[in-house]
Amino acid sequence: MRRLPAGLVAVALLAVAATACGSSSSGSSGKSSDGVTTVKVGVIPIVDVAPIYLGEKKGFYKERGLDLTLETSQGGAAIVPGVVSGQFQFGFSNTTSLMVARSRNVPVRAVANGVASTGKAGADFGGVVVKGDSPVKSPKDLAGKKVAVTLKNIGDTSVRESVRKAGGDPKSVEFVELPFDQMPAALDAGQVDAAWVVEPSLSVAREQGARVVASNFVDVSPDLTIALYFTSDKLAQQDPDLVKKFAEATRASLAYAAGHPDEVRDILATYTKIPEKTVQALTLPRWPEEPDRASLERLGELGRQDGLFDEAPDLDALLP
């Protein structure tokens, strides 16, 4: 059994320590005299979170008495301790990071769906890319190669599954930590052999001549739930009405985004620096209102198989 990556251990320990120390920011939100509740949400500046920005603009949160402050982070794993400590009332994280946290007894629980794969191989909003002239022709060829990912993430597990399903050795893949926005340049410069990217970095890489060799999300499950919005157990117990209102507004935001792709593309300019040409070319994910449990069960099995945790986490304790 592989040992838990050091970064994942650090995330879990940071979150547990924050809980044990009883952070001065207990996770409670601020309510003004007019009844409006201010909540901070930790998000990542990628396409995936477009619905929450769109929902804020359309007033779905304000209708429920919520005033959102959206604070960006480089990845969901870094947001977990922020939610547990009370820095954020809610956060956005990939499902693997949340499963690892829950398996380490970090008190987090999902409150709403986040984002899902398109389910279309070669036409997903994320994938593994290589340079146009790379000798890598299939996921099997990634064995022994240097692949850029954001560690402590769903990428590690899903890329291994792509390699495994193609007949390669997933244990021989060398993962290199890089932020998404730095991956296209690193690939183009030959610093890595391949990169797992999501939009808009996927479109940027393609503009530079890269090609997709693996649709790693689809290889796990066509209906893969990739990320979730979550809160701490403490806040869920202390203020269930707040959690309910946030969840309702988020579901409304997901539904609206799913039906208004042009408005999704427009909202990206408000929180990213994606060029207009890229905005129009990128592939949008799916935003179903509910997570797909079967896909998460499969992801949990793969995480256990790859040594991220000794046992697949209890989804009943994690999912809304």
mmCIF file of all heavy atoms in Angstrom, residues 274-310:
data_model
loop_
_atom_site.group_PDB
_atom_site.id
_atom_site.type_symbol
_atom_site.label_atom_id
_atom_site.label_comp_id
_atom_site.label_asym_id
_atom_site.label_seq_id
_atom_site.Cartn_x
_atom_site.Cartn_y
_atom_site.Cartn_z
ATOM 1 N N ILE A 274 -8.804 35.243 -18.911
ATOM 2 C CA ILE A 274 -8.832 34.460 -20.140
ATOM 3 C C ILE A 274 -9.102 35.383 -21.337
ATOM 4 O O ILE A 274 -10.069 36.141 -21.326
ATOM 5 C CB ILE A 274 -9.936 33.388 -20.084
ATOM 6 C CG1 ILE A 274 -9.823 32.562 -18.797
ATOM 7 C CG2 ILE A 274 -9.863 32.476 -21.299
ATOM 8 C CD1 ILE A 274 -10.969 31.591 -18.586
ATOM 9 N N PRO A 275 -8.272 35.331 -22.378
ATOM 10 C CA PRO A 275 -8.520 36.143 -23.575
ATOM 11 C C PRO A 275 -9.867 35.777 -24.205
ATOM 12 O O PRO A 275 -10.309 34.622 -24.141
ATOM 13 C CB PRO A 275 -7.363 35.779 -24.504
ATOM 14 C CG PRO A 275 -6.293 35.252 -23.590
ATOM 15 C CD PRO A 275 -7.018 34.567 -22.478
ATOM 16 N N GLU A 276 -10.518 36.747 -24.820
ATOM 17 C CA GLU A 276 -11.840 36.540 -25.413
ATOM 18 C C GLU A 276 -11.834 35.402 -26.433
ATOM 19 O O GLU A 276 -12.774 34.589 -26.491
ATOM 20 C CB GLU A 276 -12.317 37.829 -26.084
ATOM 21 C CG GLU A 276 -13.668 37.714 -26.778
ATOM 22 C CD GLU A 276 -14.800 37.381 -25.816
ATOM 23 O OE1 GLU A 276 -14.663 37.626 -24.600
ATOM 24 O OE2 GLU A 276 -15.840 36.873 -26.298
ATOM 25 N N LYS A 277 -10.786 35.301 -27.218
ATOM 26 C CA LYS A 277 -10.686 34.234 -28.218
ATOM 27 C C LYS A 277 -10.733 32.868 -27.544
ATOM 28 O O LYS A 277 -11.417 31.946 -28.021
ATOM 29 C CB LYS A 277 -9.381 34.388 -29.015
ATOM 30 C CG LYS A 277 -9.152 33.290 -30.037
ATOM 31 C CD LYS A 277 -7.800 33.469 -30.718
ATOM 32 C CE LYS A 277 -7.507 32.305 -31.676
ATOM 33 N NZ LYS A 277 -6.170 32.448 -32.312
ATOM 34 N N THR A 278 -10.033 32.744 -26.435
ATOM 35 C CA THR A 278 -10.006 31.472 -25.714
ATOM 36 C C THR A 278 -11.347 31.190 -25.049
ATOM 37 O O THR A 278 -11.817 30.047 -25.028
ATOM 38 C CB THR A 278 -8.891 31.491 -24.653
ATOM 39 O OG1 THR A 278 -7.641 31.765 -25.293
ATOM 40 C CG2 THR A 278 -8.789 30.145 -23.937
ATOM 41 N N VAL A 279 -11.971 32.244 -24.513
ATOM 42 C CA VAL A 279 -13.279 32.084 -23.861
ATOM 43 C C VAL A 279 -14.281 31.462 -24.822
ATOM 44 O O VAL A 279 -15.056 30.565 -24.452
ATOM 45 C CB VAL A 279 -13.805 33.444 -23.355
ATOM 46 C CG1 VAL A 279 -15.282 33.352 -23.000
ATOM 47 C CG2 VAL A 279 -13.005 33.904 -22.151
ATOM 48 N N GLN A 280 -14.274 31.909 -26.058
ATOM 49 C CA GLN A 280 -15.242 31.408 -27.028
ATOM 50 C C GLN A 280 -14.911 29.995 -27.502
ATOM 51 O O GLN A 280 -15.801 29.262 -27.942
ATOM 52 C CB GLN A 280 -15.309 32.368 -28.236
ATOM 53 C CG GLN A 280 -15.795 33.758 -27.890
ATOM 54 C CD GLN A 280 -17.121 33.755 -27.145
ATOM 55 O OE1 GLN A 280 -18.034 33.003 -27.486
ATOM 56 N NE2 GLN A 280 -17.230 34.593 -26.114
ATOM 57 N N ALA A 281 -13.642 29.600 -27.389
ATOM 58 C CA ALA A 281 -13.221 28.287 -27.889
ATOM 59 C C ALA A 281 -13.291 27.186 -26.833
ATOM 60 O O ALA A 281 -13.407 26.004 -27.169
ATOM 61 C CB ALA A 281 -11.782 28.378 -28.421
ATOM 62 N N LEU A 282 -13.239 27.557 -25.571
ATOM 63 C CA LEU A 282 -13.116 26.526 -24.535
ATOM 64 C C LEU A 282 -14.365 25.660 -24.402
ATOM 65 O O LEU A 282 -15.478 26.068 -24.730
ATOM 66 C CB LEU A 282 -12.744 27.152 -23.192
ATOM 67 C CG LEU A 282 -13.604 28.238 -22.553
ATOM 68 C CD1 LEU A 282 -14.814 27.673 -21.865
ATOM 69 C CD2 LEU A 282 -12.742 29.029 -21.563
ATOM 70 N N THR A 283 -14.140 24.437 -23.901
ATOM 71 C CA THR A 283 -15.215 23.479 -23.671
ATOM 72 C C THR A 283 -15.757 23.668 -22.261
ATOM 73 O O THR A 283 -15.002 23.628 -21.286
ATOM 74 C CB THR A 283 -14.699 22.034 -23.819
ATOM 75 O OG1 THR A 283 -14.188 21.854 -25.148
ATOM 76 C CG2 THR A 283 -15.820 21.023 -23.566
ATOM 77 N N LEU A 284 -17.051 23.872 -22.145
ATOM 78 C CA LEU A 284 -17.663 24.032 -20.833
ATOM 79 C C LEU A 284 -17.974 22.665 -20.216
ATOM 80 O O LEU A 284 -18.325 21.721 -20.933
ATOM 81 C CB LEU A 284 -18.957 24.842 -20.951
ATOM 82 C CG LEU A 284 -18.830 26.288 -21.439
ATOM 83 C CD1 LEU A 284 -20.211 26.925 -21.524
ATOM 84 C CD2 LEU A 284 -17.926 27.092 -20.527
ATOM 85 N N PRO A 285 -17.874 22.561 -18.896
ATOM 86 C CA PRO A 285 -18.246 21.315 -18.218
ATOM 87 C C PRO A 285 -19.763 21.214 -18.095
ATOM 88 O O PRO A 285 -20.501 22.075 -18.601
ATOM 89 C CB PRO A 285 -17.596 21.472 -16.849
ATOM 90 C CG PRO A 285 -17.586 22.946 -16.611
ATOM 91 C CD PRO A 285 -17.370 23.574 -17.959
ATOM 92 N N ARG A 286 -20.234 20.165 -17.435
ATOM 93 C CA ARG A 286 -21.652 20.067 -17.086
ATOM 94 C C ARG A 286 -21.831 20.517 -15.643
ATOM 95 O O ARG A 286 -20.932 20.346 -14.812
ATOM 96 C CB ARG A 286 -22.154 18.622 -17.221
ATOM 97 C CG ARG A 286 -22.313 18.159 -18.665
ATOM 98 C CD ARG A 286 -23.043 16.828 -18.743
ATOM 99 N NE ARG A 286 -22.398 15.814 -17.935
ATOM 100 C CZ ARG A 286 -22.963 15.176 -16.906
ATOM 101 N NH1 ARG A 286 -24.205 15.479 -16.540
ATOM 102 N NH2 ARG A 286 -22.310 14.257 -16.236
ATOM 103 N N TRP A 287 -22.997 21.072 -15.361
ATOM 104 C CA TRP A 287 -23.293 21.518 -14.003
ATOM 105 C C TRP A 287 -24.623 20.929 -13.521
ATOM 106 O O TRP A 287 -25.615 21.654 -13.361
ATOM 107 C CB TRP A 287 -23.337 23.050 -13.937
ATOM 108 C CG TRP A 287 -21.976 23.673 -14.015
ATOM 109 C CD1 TRP A 287 -20.974 23.583 -13.100
ATOM 110 C CD2 TRP A 287 -21.464 24.509 -15.057
ATOM 111 N NE1 TRP A 287 -19.874 24.297 -13.503
ATOM 112 C CE2 TRP A 287 -20.143 24.877 -14.707
ATOM 113 C CE3 TRP A 287 -22.006 24.989 -16.257
ATOM 114 C CZ2 TRP A 287 -19.355 25.694 -15.506
ATOM 115 C CZ3 TRP A 287 -21.225 25.796 -17.060
ATOM 116 C CH2 TRP A 287 -19.917 26.147 -16.692
ATOM 117 N N PRO A 288 -24.680 19.615 -13.304
ATOM 118 C CA PRO A 288 -25.912 19.023 -12.770
ATOM 119 C C PRO A 288 -26.170 19.508 -11.349
ATOM 120 O O PRO A 288 -25.231 19.869 -10.623
ATOM 121 C CB PRO A 288 -25.631 17.516 -12.802
ATOM 122 C CG PRO A 288 -24.143 17.397 -12.803
ATOM 123 C CD PRO A 288 -23.631 18.613 -13.518
ATOM 124 N N GLU A 289 -27.422 19.507 -10.949
ATOM 125 C CA GLU A 289 -27.775 20.015 -9.626
ATOM 126 C C GLU A 289 -27.392 19.051 -8.504
ATOM 127 O O GLU A 289 -27.241 19.484 -7.353
ATOM 128 C CB GLU A 289 -29.271 20.318 -9.566
ATOM 129 C CG GLU A 289 -29.697 21.472 -10.454
ATOM 130 C CD GLU A 289 -31.180 21.752 -10.352
ATOM 131 O OE1 GLU A 289 -31.689 21.856 -9.216
ATOM 132 O OE2 GLU A 289 -31.846 21.842 -11.405
ATOM 133 N N GLU A 290 -27.254 17.777 -8.831
ATOM 134 C CA GLU A 290 -26.939 16.778 -7.811
ATOM 135 C C GLU A 290 -25.686 15.999 -8.187
ATOM 136 O O GLU A 290 -25.436 15.744 -9.368
ATOM 137 C CB GLU A 290 -28.107 15.799 -7.620
ATOM 138 C CG GLU A 290 -29.422 16.455 -7.219
ATOM 139 C CD GLU A 290 -29.353 17.114 -5.855
ATOM 140 O OE1 GLU A 290 -28.522 16.695 -5.018
ATOM 141 O OE2 GLU A 290 -30.129 18.057 -5.615
ATOM 142 N N PRO A 291 -24.881 15.583 -7.208
ATOM 143 C CA PRO A 291 -23.704 14.759 -7.499
ATOM 144 C C PRO A 291 -24.100 13.354 -7.931
ATOM 145 O O PRO A 291 -25.195 12.880 -7.610
ATOM 146 C CB PRO A 291 -22.948 14.735 -6.162
ATOM 147 C CG PRO A 291 -23.993 14.999 -5.127
ATOM 148 C CD PRO A 291 -24.991 15.905 -5.764
ATOM 149 N N ASP A 292 -23.237 12.693 -8.678
ATOM 150 C CA ASP A 292 -23.470 11.323 -9.120
ATOM 151 C C ASP A 292 -22.761 10.366 -8.164
ATOM 152 O O ASP A 292 -21.536 10.252 -8.180
ATOM 153 C CB ASP A 292 -22.951 11.115 -10.544
ATOM 154 C CG ASP A 292 -23.229 9.723 -11.069
ATOM 155 O OD1 ASP A 292 -24.366 9.467 -11.492
ATOM 156 O OD2 ASP A 292 -22.310 8.883 -11.011
ATOM 157 N N ARG A 293 -23.523 9.698 -7.321
ATOM 158 C CA ARG A 293 -22.943 8.867 -6.265
ATOM 159 C C ARG A 293 -22.133 7.698 -6.822
ATOM 160 O O ARG A 293 -21.053 7.382 -6.311
ATOM 161 C CB ARG A 293 -24.041 8.356 -5.332
ATOM 162 C CG ARG A 293 -23.466 7.607 -4.129
ATOM 163 C CD ARG A 293 -24.538 7.063 -3.219
ATOM 164 N NE ARG A 293 -23.950 6.337 -2.109
ATOM 165 C CZ ARG A 293 -23.854 6.794 -0.880
ATOM 166 N NH1 ARG A 293 -24.335 7.989 -0.580
ATOM 167 N NH2 ARG A 293 -23.295 6.080 0.083
ATOM 168 N N ALA A 294 -22.638 7.059 -7.877
ATOM 169 C CA ALA A 294 -21.927 5.905 -8.430
ATOM 170 C C ALA A 294 -20.523 6.283 -8.884
ATOM 171 O O ALA A 294 -19.561 5.526 -8.678
ATOM 172 C CB ALA A 294 -22.720 5.302 -9.585
ATOM 173 N N SER A 295 -20.398 7.463 -9.498
ATOM 174 C CA SER A 295 -19.078 7.891 -9.957
ATOM 175 C C SER A 295 -18.149 8.165 -8.785
ATOM 176 O O SER A 295 -16.938 7.905 -8.852
ATOM 177 C CB SER A 295 -19.201 9.137 -10.841
ATOM 178 O OG SER A 295 -19.519 10.298 -10.085
ATOM 179 N N LEU A 296 -18.698 8.668 -7.676
ATOM 180 C CA LEU A 296 -17.876 8.937 -6.494
ATOM 181 C C LEU A 296 -17.471 7.649 -5.793
ATOM 182 O O LEU A 296 -16.385 7.554 -5.221
ATOM 183 C CB LEU A 296 -18.630 9.860 -5.544
ATOM 184 C CG LEU A 296 -18.876 11.269 -6.087
ATOM 185 C CD1 LEU A 296 -19.637 12.115 -5.084
ATOM 186 C CD2 LEU A 296 -17.563 11.944 -6.468
ATOM 187 N N GLU A 297 -18.334 6.650 -5.836
ATOM 188 C CA GLU A 297 -17.962 5.354 -5.288
ATOM 189 C C GLU A 297 -16.782 4.773 -6.065
ATOM 190 O O GLU A 297 -15.848 4.218 -5.480
ATOM 191 C CB GLU A 297 -19.158 4.405 -5.328
ATOM 192 C CG GLU A 297 -20.257 4.767 -4.329
ATOM 193 C CD GLU A 297 -21.487 3.893 -4.487
ATOM 194 O OE1 GLU A 297 -21.588 3.183 -5.522
ATOM 195 O OE2 GLU A 297 -22.361 3.938 -3.589
ATOM 196 N N ARG A 298 -16.824 4.924 -7.383
ATOM 197 C CA ARG A 298 -15.725 4.446 -8.220
ATOM 198 C C ARG A 298 -14.447 5.224 -7.918
ATOM 199 O O ARG A 298 -13.360 4.635 -7.810
ATOM 200 C CB ARG A 298 -16.102 4.611 -9.698
ATOM 201 C CG ARG A 298 -15.006 4.206 -10.681
ATOM 202 C CD ARG A 298 -14.563 2.770 -10.477
ATOM 203 N NE ARG A 298 -13.526 2.376 -11.421
ATOM 204 C CZ ARG A 298 -12.678 1.372 -11.203
ATOM 205 N NH1 ARG A 298 -12.757 0.654 -10.084
ATOM 206 N NH2 ARG A 298 -11.761 1.062 -12.097
ATOM 207 N N LEU A 299 -14.556 6.518 -7.774
ATOM 208 C CA LEU A 299 -13.392 7.345 -7.464
ATOM 209 C C LEU A 299 -12.802 6.958 -6.118
ATOM 210 O O LEU A 299 -11.580 6.912 -5.940
ATOM 211 C CB LEU A 299 -13.786 8.812 -7.465
ATOM 212 C CG LEU A 299 -12.667 9.843 -7.416
ATOM 213 C CD1 LEU A 299 -11.797 9.752 -8.658
ATOM 214 C CD2 LEU A 299 -13.243 11.253 -7.287
ATOM 215 N N GLY A 300 -13.672 6.658 -5.150
ATOM 216 C CA GLY A 300 -13.199 6.225 -3.841
ATOM 217 C C GLY A 300 -12.457 4.902 -3.914
ATOM 218 O O GLY A 300 -11.431 4.704 -3.251
ATOM 219 N N GLU A 301 -12.957 3.985 -4.730
ATOM 220 C CA GLU A 301 -12.289 2.692 -4.907
ATOM 221 C C GLU A 301 -10.897 2.883 -5.497
ATOM 222 O O GLU A 301 -9.926 2.240 -5.073
ATOM 223 C CB GLU A 301 -13.124 1.800 -5.821
ATOM 224 C CG GLU A 301 -14.441 1.334 -5.226
ATOM 225 C CD GLU A 301 -15.317 0.640 -6.252
ATOM 226 O OE1 GLU A 301 -14.858 0.519 -7.420
ATOM 227 O OE2 GLU A 301 -16.437 0.235 -5.912
ATOM 228 N N LEU A 302 -10.796 3.765 -6.480
ATOM 229 C CA LEU A 302 -9.499 4.020 -7.105
ATOM 230 C C LEU A 302 -8.544 4.697 -6.136
ATOM 231 O O LEU A 302 -7.342 4.394 -6.126
ATOM 232 C CB LEU A 302 -9.692 4.890 -8.356
ATOM 233 C CG LEU A 302 -10.418 4.231 -9.529
ATOM 234 C CD1 LEU A 302 -10.674 5.250 -10.634
ATOM 235 C CD2 LEU A 302 -9.623 3.052 -10.067
ATOM 236 N N GLY A 303 -9.050 5.622 -5.327
ATOM 237 C CA GLY A 303 -8.206 6.273 -4.333
ATOM 238 C C GLY A 303 -7.650 5.278 -3.328
ATOM 239 O O GLY A 303 -6.480 5.357 -2.937
ATOM 240 N N ARG A 304 -8.484 4.341 -2.919
ATOM 241 C CA ARG A 304 -8.011 3.296 -1.998
ATOM 242 C C ARG A 304 -6.977 2.423 -2.693
ATOM 243 O O ARG A 304 -5.933 2.085 -2.125
ATOM 244 C CB ARG A 304 -9.193 2.447 -1.529
ATOM 245 C CG ARG A 304 -8.808 1.340 -0.534
ATOM 246 C CD ARG A 304 -9.956 0.387 -0.279
ATOM 247 N NE ARG A 304 -10.438 -0.212 -1.498
ATOM 248 C CZ ARG A 304 -9.828 -1.211 -2.146
ATOM 249 N NH1 ARG A 304 -8.682 -1.692 -1.683
ATOM 250 N NH2 ARG A 304 -10.328 -1.706 -3.248
ATOM 251 N N GLN A 305 -7.234 2.057 -3.936
ATOM 252 C CA GLN A 305 -6.316 1.226 -4.698
ATOM 253 C C GLN A 305 -4.952 1.893 -4.869
ATOM 254 O O GLN A 305 -3.914 1.235 -4.817
ATOM 255 C CB GLN A 305 -6.935 0.924 -6.064
ATOM 256 C CG GLN A 305 -6.096 0.019 -6.967
ATOM 257 C CD GLN A 305 -6.819 -0.306 -8.265
ATOM 258 O OE1 GLN A 305 -8.042 -0.324 -8.319
ATOM 259 N NE2 GLN A 305 -6.058 -0.545 -9.314
ATOM 260 N N ASP A 306 -4.964 3.211 -5.042
ATOM 261 C CA ASP A 306 -3.718 3.954 -5.247
ATOM 262 C C ASP A 306 -3.062 4.404 -3.946
ATOM 263 O O ASP A 306 -2.049 5.097 -3.965
ATOM 264 C CB ASP A 306 -3.972 5.175 -6.135
ATOM 265 C CG ASP A 306 -4.258 4.780 -7.579
ATOM 266 O OD1 ASP A 306 -3.776 3.721 -8.005
ATOM 267 O OD2 ASP A 306 -4.965 5.529 -8.272
ATOM 268 N N GLY A 307 -3.673 4.049 -2.810
ATOM 269 C CA GLY A 307 -3.048 4.334 -1.521
ATOM 270 C C GLY A 307 -3.324 5.698 -0.944
ATOM 271 O O GLY A 307 -2.638 6.125 -0.016
ATOM 272 N N LEU A 308 -4.337 6.404 -1.448
ATOM 273 C CA LEU A 308 -4.665 7.706 -0.877
ATOM 274 C C LEU A 308 -5.311 7.569 0.497
ATOM 275 O O LEU A 308 -5.229 8.467 1.327
ATOM 276 C CB LEU A 308 -5.610 8.475 -1.809
ATOM 277 C CG LEU A 308 -5.029 8.905 -3.151
ATOM 278 C CD1 LEU A 308 -6.066 9.672 -3.949
ATOM 279 C CD2 LEU A 308 -3.786 9.763 -2.958
ATOM 280 N N PHE A 309 -5.975 6.452 0.710
ATOM 281 C CA PHE A 309 -6.557 6.143 2.018
ATOM 282 C C PHE A 309 -6.674 4.631 2.145
ATOM 283 O O PHE A 309 -6.712 3.900 1.150
ATOM 284 C CB PHE A 309 -7.929 6.795 2.227
ATOM 285 C CG PHE A 309 -8.690 7.110 0.968
ATOM 286 C CD1 PHE A 309 -9.278 6.101 0.228
ATOM 287 C CD2 PHE A 309 -8.807 8.414 0.521
ATOM 288 C CE1 PHE A 309 -9.986 6.384 -0.928
ATOM 289 C CE2 PHE A 309 -9.502 8.703 -0.646
ATOM 290 C CZ PHE A 309 -10.093 7.697 -1.364
ATOM 291 N N ASP A 310 -6.704 4.143 3.373
ATOM 292 C CA ASP A 310 -6.746 2.697 3.615
ATOM 293 C C ASP A 310 -8.094 2.099 3.244
ATOM 294 O O ASP A 310 -8.168 0.975 2.771
ATOM 295 C CB ASP A 310 -6.445 2.391 5.093
ATOM 296 C CG ASP A 310 -5.001 2.747 5.456
ATOM 297 O OD1 ASP A 310 -4.150 2.737 4.548
ATOM 298 O OD2 ASP A 310 -4.747 3.029 6.639
#
